[in-house]
Amino acid sequence: MLKIGLLGVGAIGKVIATALDRREVDATLVALCDQDRGKAEALSRELSCHPPVVSLEEMFDLSELAVEAAGQAALPEFVSKALGRGRDVLVMSVGGLLGHDEWFREADRQGRRIYVPSGAIAGLDGVKSASVGKIESAMLTSRKPVAALRGSQFIVERGIELDALKEETVIFEGLAEEAARAFPATSNVAASLRLAVNPSVPVKVRIVAVPGGNENVHEIRVEGEFGRLTVKVENVPSKSNPKTSQLAAFSAIATLKNLTRSLRVGT
Ligand SMILES: NC(=O)c1ccc[n+]([C@@H]2O[C@H](COP(=O)([O-])OP(=O)(O)OC[C@H]3O[C@@H](n4cnc5c(N)ncnc54)[C@H](O)[C@@H]3O)[C@@H](O)[C@H]2O)c1
């Protein structure tokens, strides 16, 4: 059975750990790691499999696949140590992968896998299929409640007063790479779309603040030789982290199921 180590036991990590504990996936949770050790120990006590709480290095020693659900800042150490020890990884903080093509090259060289679940968006299967042909444009519009944007570096640096907004307001327009830097905690969908589309095609991103909103709504639109694709997902936020959509954790679990089942549906 696939041995899984988990870095980050927050909103997403806890849902993944619980699914593994309930044997919803044909895999075992063999280690937990978090900068907040007490939080990881509390989760370990709650789970019936009581995984040990360990250092990052020990986690790689114990596991075959390491799952990251910690944050962009954790990625450089996580990915480089995982590849250094020849482990496959599943990454939720997708924005942190952009600009690090050397990790992809190293994984290729070693025959290792970097899994990026669809996260809070759908339709990446169609986007990948479309990218086999010529893509003319790719655009993401993300409508976010004020609570999901609060504290973002971009908002703080520009002194944007979210509570003063009376109507839907475009607060960011730029490329996916810029969105990933400006909103590290909430731009993973932009980064996933970036990785799914041919690198030569710019991926444009618009972020809209929605006063009184309570869902993270992502809409992708891609045009190309295949025709046109529009996908919209109205995400319910996680109860413990309004920046995170419930679908994101579910997508990680679905990816793990894909890895361990003989039948794989979808591109
Ligand atoms: N792919 C997607 O579509 C998608 C969607 C939502 C969230 N995310 C990303 O997934 C990640 C996890 O999200 P979450 O809502 O569970 O976050 P969270 O804040 O609820 O939990 C993060 C956990 O990781 C721990 N942590 C943070 N930095 C760490 C480090 N350097 N080393 C060890 N532990 C560390 C924290 O203590 C916390 O327990 C975030 O980067 C988030 O942006 C991705």
Side-chain angles (χ1 to χ4, degrees), residues 7-13 33-36 39 68-74 92-94 117-121 184-186 188-189 192 241 243-245 248:
L7 175 68
V9 297
I12 291 180
C33 178
D34 196 293
Q35 64 186 9
D36 184 341
K39 193 170 161 185
E68 177 279 328
Q72 265 198 34
M92 292 309 297
S93 305
V94 194
S118 299
I121 191 64
T186 56
N188 296 290
V189 168
S192 301
N241 184 354
K243 290 186 165 71
T244 283
S245 302

Short mmCIF file of all heavy atoms in Angstrom, two decimals, residues 7-13 33-36 39 68-74 92-94 117-121 184-186 188-189 192 241 243-245 248, ligand 1:
data_model
loop_
_atom_site.label_atom_id
_atom_site.label_comp_id
_atom_site.label_asym_id
_atom_site.label_seq_id
_atom_site.Cartn_x
_atom_site.Cartn_y
_atom_site.Cartn_z
N LEU A 7 2.76 17.10 4.80
CA LEU A 7 3.30 18.35 5.35
C LEU A 7 2.18 19.39 5.38
O LEU A 7 1.65 19.77 4.33
CB LEU A 7 4.44 18.88 4.46
CG LEU A 7 5.00 20.25 4.88
CD1 LEU A 7 5.75 20.15 6.21
CD2 LEU A 7 5.92 20.84 3.81
N GLY A 8 1.83 19.85 6.57
CA GLY A 8 0.77 20.85 6.71
C GLY A 8 -0.53 20.21 7.13
O GLY A 8 -1.10 19.41 6.39
N VAL A 9 -0.97 20.54 8.34
CA VAL A 9 -2.21 19.93 8.85
C VAL A 9 -3.26 21.00 9.10
O VAL A 9 -3.98 20.98 10.09
CB VAL A 9 -1.95 19.08 10.13
CG1 VAL A 9 -1.02 17.92 9.82
CG2 VAL A 9 -1.38 19.95 11.25
N GLY A 10 -3.36 21.94 8.16
CA GLY A 10 -4.37 23.00 8.27
C GLY A 10 -5.67 22.56 7.60
O GLY A 10 -6.03 21.38 7.64
N ALA A 11 -6.35 23.53 6.96
CA ALA A 11 -7.67 23.26 6.39
C ALA A 11 -7.63 22.08 5.40
O ALA A 11 -8.45 21.16 5.48
CB ALA A 11 -8.18 24.52 5.69
N ILE A 12 -6.67 22.10 4.49
CA ILE A 12 -6.60 21.04 3.48
C ILE A 12 -6.00 19.76 4.07
O ILE A 12 -6.53 18.66 3.89
CB ILE A 12 -5.77 21.51 2.26
CG1 ILE A 12 -6.53 22.62 1.51
CG2 ILE A 12 -5.44 20.35 1.33
CD1 ILE A 12 -5.82 23.17 0.30
N GLY A 13 -4.88 19.91 4.78
CA GLY A 13 -4.18 18.74 5.32
C GLY A 13 -5.07 17.88 6.20
O GLY A 13 -5.05 16.65 6.13
N CYS A 33 3.81 16.23 9.44
CA CYS A 33 4.84 17.24 9.73
C CYS A 33 4.17 18.60 9.63
O CYS A 33 3.37 18.84 8.71
CB CYS A 33 5.96 17.10 8.71
SG CYS A 33 7.29 18.30 8.89
N ASP A 34 4.46 19.48 10.57
CA ASP A 34 3.91 20.84 10.52
C ASP A 34 4.81 21.72 11.37
O ASP A 34 5.39 21.26 12.35
CB ASP A 34 2.47 20.85 11.09
CG ASP A 34 1.71 22.12 10.73
OD1 ASP A 34 2.08 23.21 11.20
OD2 ASP A 34 0.73 22.01 9.97
N GLN A 35 4.93 23.00 10.95
CA GLN A 35 5.76 23.90 11.77
C GLN A 35 5.13 24.08 13.16
O GLN A 35 5.82 24.40 14.12
CB GLN A 35 5.93 25.25 11.06
CG GLN A 35 4.66 26.03 10.88
CD GLN A 35 4.86 27.29 10.03
OE1 GLN A 35 5.92 27.49 9.46
NE2 GLN A 35 3.86 28.13 9.98
N ASP A 36 3.82 23.86 13.24
CA ASP A 36 3.12 23.88 14.53
C ASP A 36 3.00 22.42 14.99
O ASP A 36 2.02 21.73 14.69
CB ASP A 36 1.75 24.53 14.33
CG ASP A 36 0.98 24.68 15.64
OD1 ASP A 36 1.33 23.98 16.61
OD2 ASP A 36 0.02 25.48 15.67
N LYS A 39 -0.14 21.22 16.85
CA LYS A 39 -1.33 21.03 16.01
C LYS A 39 -1.27 19.64 15.33
O LYS A 39 -2.27 18.93 15.25
CB LYS A 39 -1.32 22.14 14.94
CG LYS A 39 -2.59 22.33 14.18
CD LYS A 39 -2.44 23.63 13.37
CE LYS A 39 -3.38 23.75 12.23
NZ LYS A 39 -3.10 24.95 11.43
N GLU A 68 2.16 18.01 0.06
CA GLU A 68 2.37 19.35 0.64
C GLU A 68 1.05 20.09 0.70
O GLU A 68 0.38 20.27 -0.32
CB GLU A 68 3.38 20.13 -0.23
CG GLU A 68 3.63 21.56 0.22
CD GLU A 68 2.57 22.55 -0.23
OE1 GLU A 68 1.97 22.36 -1.30
OE2 GLU A 68 2.30 23.50 0.52
N ALA A 69 0.66 20.53 1.91
CA ALA A 69 -0.53 21.37 2.08
C ALA A 69 -0.17 22.41 3.14
O ALA A 69 -0.89 22.60 4.12
CB ALA A 69 -1.73 20.53 2.50
N ALA A 70 0.98 23.06 2.95
CA ALA A 70 1.51 23.98 3.97
C ALA A 70 1.48 25.43 3.52
O ALA A 70 0.90 26.29 4.18
CB ALA A 70 2.94 23.57 4.33
N GLY A 71 2.08 25.73 2.39
CA GLY A 71 2.14 27.11 1.91
C GLY A 71 3.30 27.29 0.96
O GLY A 71 4.25 26.49 0.97
N GLN A 72 3.20 28.36 0.16
CA GLN A 72 4.25 28.61 -0.85
C GLN A 72 5.64 28.66 -0.25
O GLN A 72 6.60 28.16 -0.82
CB GLN A 72 3.97 29.94 -1.56
CG GLN A 72 3.22 29.81 -2.85
CD GLN A 72 3.35 31.07 -3.72
OE1 GLN A 72 4.38 31.74 -3.74
NE2 GLN A 72 2.30 31.37 -4.44
N ALA A 73 5.74 29.27 0.95
CA ALA A 73 7.06 29.46 1.56
C ALA A 73 7.72 28.12 1.90
O ALA A 73 8.94 28.04 1.99
CB ALA A 73 6.94 30.33 2.81
N ALA A 74 6.89 27.10 2.09
CA ALA A 74 7.44 25.79 2.47
C ALA A 74 7.97 25.02 1.27
O ALA A 74 8.71 24.05 1.42
CB ALA A 74 6.35 24.96 3.17
N MET A 92 0.02 21.26 -3.23
CA MET A 92 -1.19 22.10 -3.22
C MET A 92 -0.85 23.59 -3.41
O MET A 92 -1.65 24.33 -3.97
CB MET A 92 -1.95 21.95 -1.88
CG MET A 92 -2.57 20.59 -1.67
SD MET A 92 -3.60 20.01 -3.03
CE MET A 92 -4.91 21.22 -3.09
N SER A 93 0.33 24.03 -2.95
CA SER A 93 0.69 25.45 -3.06
C SER A 93 1.30 25.69 -4.45
O SER A 93 2.49 25.97 -4.59
CB SER A 93 1.67 25.83 -1.94
OG SER A 93 1.12 25.51 -0.70
N VAL A 94 0.43 25.57 -5.45
CA VAL A 94 0.88 25.48 -6.84
C VAL A 94 1.62 26.74 -7.29
O VAL A 94 2.57 26.67 -8.09
CB VAL A 94 -0.34 25.26 -7.78
CG1 VAL A 94 0.12 24.83 -9.15
CG2 VAL A 94 -1.30 24.25 -7.20
N PRO A 117 -2.91 18.58 -8.16
CA PRO A 117 -4.35 18.37 -8.27
C PRO A 117 -5.04 19.60 -8.87
O PRO A 117 -4.49 20.70 -8.84
CB PRO A 117 -4.79 18.17 -6.82
CG PRO A 117 -3.56 17.79 -6.08
CD PRO A 117 -2.44 18.51 -6.77
N SER A 118 -6.25 19.40 -9.38
CA SER A 118 -6.96 20.52 -10.01
C SER A 118 -7.30 21.63 -9.02
O SER A 118 -7.59 22.75 -9.43
CB SER A 118 -8.25 20.02 -10.66
OG SER A 118 -7.94 19.07 -11.65
N GLY A 119 -7.30 21.30 -7.72
CA GLY A 119 -7.56 22.32 -6.71
C GLY A 119 -8.99 22.83 -6.80
O GLY A 119 -9.93 22.07 -6.99
N ALA A 120 -9.11 24.16 -6.73
CA ALA A 120 -10.44 24.77 -6.65
C ALA A 120 -11.04 25.05 -8.02
O ALA A 120 -11.99 25.82 -8.12
CB ALA A 120 -10.34 26.06 -5.84
N ILE A 121 -10.51 24.44 -9.06
CA ILE A 121 -11.06 24.67 -10.41
C ILE A 121 -11.38 23.32 -11.06
O ILE A 121 -10.86 22.29 -10.64
CB ILE A 121 -10.09 25.52 -11.28
CG1 ILE A 121 -10.74 26.01 -12.56
CG2 ILE A 121 -8.80 24.74 -11.57
CD1 ILE A 121 -11.90 26.95 -12.37
N PRO A 184 -0.01 35.00 -2.88
CA PRO A 184 0.52 33.64 -2.74
C PRO A 184 -0.48 32.65 -2.15
O PRO A 184 -0.44 31.47 -2.49
CB PRO A 184 1.75 33.81 -1.85
CG PRO A 184 1.72 35.20 -1.34
CD PRO A 184 0.81 36.01 -2.20
N ALA A 185 -1.38 33.14 -1.29
CA ALA A 185 -2.29 32.19 -0.64
C ALA A 185 -3.56 31.93 -1.44
O ALA A 185 -4.31 31.01 -1.13
CB ALA A 185 -2.65 32.68 0.76
N THR A 186 -3.83 32.74 -2.47
CA THR A 186 -5.13 32.61 -3.14
C THR A 186 -5.02 32.59 -4.66
O THR A 186 -5.99 32.88 -5.35
CB THR A 186 -6.07 33.76 -2.73
OG1 THR A 186 -5.42 35.00 -3.02
CG2 THR A 186 -6.48 33.72 -1.29
N ASN A 188 -3.66 29.92 -6.49
CA ASN A 188 -3.26 28.59 -6.95
C ASN A 188 -3.98 28.17 -8.23
O ASN A 188 -3.42 27.46 -9.05
CB ASN A 188 -3.48 27.57 -5.83
CG ASN A 188 -2.58 27.88 -4.65
OD1 ASN A 188 -1.39 27.71 -4.72
ND2 ASN A 188 -3.17 28.39 -3.56
N VAL A 189 -5.23 28.63 -8.37
CA VAL A 189 -5.96 28.28 -9.60
C VAL A 189 -5.27 28.93 -10.80
O VAL A 189 -5.11 28.31 -11.85
CB VAL A 189 -7.44 28.71 -9.48
CG1 VAL A 189 -8.13 28.64 -10.84
CG2 VAL A 189 -8.17 27.82 -8.48
N SER A 192 -2.29 26.86 -11.55
CA SER A 192 -2.62 25.56 -12.15
C SER A 192 -2.98 25.74 -13.62
O SER A 192 -2.58 24.95 -14.47
CB SER A 192 -3.79 24.90 -11.41
OG SER A 192 -3.46 24.72 -10.08
N ASN A 241 -10.58 27.99 6.93
CA ASN A 241 -9.74 28.95 6.21
C ASN A 241 -10.51 29.52 5.01
O ASN A 241 -10.65 28.84 3.99
CB ASN A 241 -8.44 28.26 5.74
CG ASN A 241 -7.49 29.24 5.07
OD1 ASN A 241 -7.82 30.40 4.85
ND2 ASN A 241 -6.31 28.77 4.73
N LYS A 243 -9.77 31.48 2.80
CA LYS A 243 -8.98 31.63 1.56
C LYS A 243 -9.00 30.33 0.76
O LYS A 243 -8.62 30.31 -0.41
CB LYS A 243 -7.53 32.01 1.89
CG LYS A 243 -7.35 33.41 2.45
CD LYS A 243 -5.88 33.72 2.59
CE LYS A 243 -5.59 35.19 2.78
NZ LYS A 243 -5.98 35.70 4.08
N THR A 244 -9.37 29.25 1.40
CA THR A 244 -9.30 27.92 0.78
C THR A 244 -10.70 27.38 0.48
O THR A 244 -11.59 27.48 1.31
CB THR A 244 -8.54 26.97 1.74
OG1 THR A 244 -7.15 27.27 1.63
CG2 THR A 244 -8.74 25.51 1.41
N SER A 245 -10.86 26.81 -0.72
CA SER A 245 -12.14 26.23 -1.09
C SER A 245 -12.16 24.74 -0.74
O SER A 245 -11.14 24.06 -0.85
CB SER A 245 -12.35 26.38 -2.60
OG SER A 245 -12.29 27.75 -2.95
N ALA A 248 -10.69 22.10 -3.07
CA ALA A 248 -9.23 21.92 -3.18
C ALA A 248 -8.79 20.64 -2.45
O ALA A 248 -8.05 19.83 -3.01
CB ALA A 248 -8.50 23.14 -2.61
N1 LIG B 1 -4.43 24.22 -5.48
C1 LIG B 1 -5.47 24.94 -5.07
O1 LIG B 1 -6.41 25.21 -5.81
C2 LIG B 1 -5.48 25.43 -3.65
C3 LIG B 1 -6.69 25.83 -3.09
C4 LIG B 1 -6.67 26.27 -1.78
C5 LIG B 1 -5.48 26.35 -1.07
N2 LIG B 1 -4.32 25.99 -1.67
C6 LIG B 1 -3.02 26.09 -0.98
O2 LIG B 1 -2.81 24.95 -0.17
C7 LIG B 1 -1.98 25.32 0.94
C8 LIG B 1 -2.62 24.87 2.24
O3 LIG B 1 -3.85 25.54 2.39
P1 LIG B 1 -4.67 25.45 3.77
O4 LIG B 1 -5.94 26.19 3.55
O5 LIG B 1 -4.70 24.08 4.29
O6 LIG B 1 -3.73 26.35 4.72
P2 LIG B 1 -3.78 26.48 6.30
O7 LIG B 1 -3.20 27.81 6.61
O8 LIG B 1 -5.14 26.15 6.81
O9 LIG B 1 -2.79 25.32 6.80
C9 LIG B 1 -1.41 25.34 6.52
C10 LIG B 1 -0.72 24.45 7.55
O10 LIG B 1 0.64 24.32 7.16
C11 LIG B 1 1.49 24.69 8.24
N3 LIG B 1 2.67 25.32 7.66
C12 LIG B 1 2.73 26.52 7.04
N4 LIG B 1 3.97 26.77 6.61
C13 LIG B 1 4.72 25.69 6.96
C14 LIG B 1 6.09 25.36 6.80
N5 LIG B 1 6.96 26.18 6.20
N6 LIG B 1 6.52 24.17 7.29
C15 LIG B 1 5.66 23.33 7.92
N7 LIG B 1 4.35 23.60 8.11
C16 LIG B 1 3.88 24.77 7.63
C17 LIG B 1 0.68 25.60 9.13
O11 LIG B 1 1.11 25.54 10.47
C18 LIG B 1 -0.73 25.02 8.95
O12 LIG B 1 -1.00 24.00 9.88
C19 LIG B 1 -1.80 26.84 0.85
O13 LIG B 1 -0.59 27.16 0.21
C20 LIG B 1 -2.95 27.28 -0.04
O14 LIG B 1 -2.66 28.47 -0.75
C21 LIG B 1 -4.31 25.49 -2.93
#
